[in-house]
Amino acid sequence: MKKVYLIGYMGCGKSAIGKRLSFATKMPYYDMDSEIVKKMGMTIPEIFETYGEERFRELETEFLNTFRDEFCIIATGGGVPMRKENREIMRRTGIVFFLNAPFRDIWRRIASDRNRPIVQRSTRLDLEKLFNERKPHYLHTAHFKVETENRSLRDIMDYIAFQIRRLRGEL
Ligand code: S3P
């Protein structure tokens, strides 16, 4: 096990958990979206607008294929597990945690977000439908499903950190 991938829908807490987890496990943390933004020198909405969503999806797969070979925590974009190739890379190169949150919690967090093109172009109903379409892929990709409803960031982080230590043979 080299990489720890956090997967799940937009607004499920991947970045918040990833940062805390990095501190607790002393593993470096990377946010896939930020890495793509850095590489392209453009924001996510600009990439969508200039090159289209399909190009963005290719950039996600390129990231997974080429990112440095080290022990680290990676918060993935919400659409990453929709591609079979991405699912296979993640499962082959690391351990995958799906952060499960109810749609109403997610909606509360993402409704007014201007940096997520999918939110910008969709209604609440569209986003809920997409959430339901994606969920089986998240479940299928993950080694662990982590329930986040009514749990503090601290509790969620402790649970994942425990599993990482166990898998690395530290417990
Ligand atoms: C997307 C999620 C975003 C980002 C892009 C597309 C998606 O990442 O990759 O806006 O398709 O769900 P977060 O899950 O970090 O918001």
Side-chain angles (χ1 to χ4, degrees), residues 21-35:
L21 208 52
S22 165
F23 187 73
T25 58
K26 312 266 186 296
M27 288 168 80
Y29 164 77
Y30 301 98
D31 179 283
M32 209 165 149
D33 280 346
S34 309
E35 295 299 314

Side-chain angles (χ1 to χ4, degrees), residues 8-11 14-15 31 33 44 48 53 56-57 60 75-80 110 113 115-118 130 134 138:
Y9 205 60
M10 298 173 273
K14 291 165 295 191
S15 317
D31 179 283
D33 280 346
I44 300 282
F48 268 67
E53 179 171 349
F56 176 74
R57 300 302 171 196
E60 291 183 317
T76 62
V80 171
I110 66 174
D113 194 318
N115 202 36
R116 289 179 168 115
I118 297 198
L130 187 65
R134 285 181 171 184
Y138 296 139

Side-chain angles (χ1 to χ4, degrees), residues 71-90:
F71 284 98
C72 63
I73 295 161
I74 299 175
T76 62
V80 171
M82 298 313 110
R83 276 196 178 191
K84 185 164 180 273
E85 182 180 359
N86 296 347
R87 294 198 287 272
E88 287 171 356
I89 297 170
M90 290 192 288

Side-chain angles (χ1 to χ4, degrees), residues 5 7 61 64-65 80-96 137 140-143:
Y5 294 99
I7 66 166
T61 303
L64 288 176
N65 267 317
V80 171
M82 298 313 110
R83 276 196 178 191
K84 185 164 180 273
E85 182 180 359
N86 296 347
R87 294 198 287 272
E88 287 171 356
I89 297 170
M90 290 192 288
R91 284 188 67 94
R92 192 179 65 241
T93 58
I95 186 91
V96 185
H137 293 288
H140 188 61
T141 314
H143 295 102

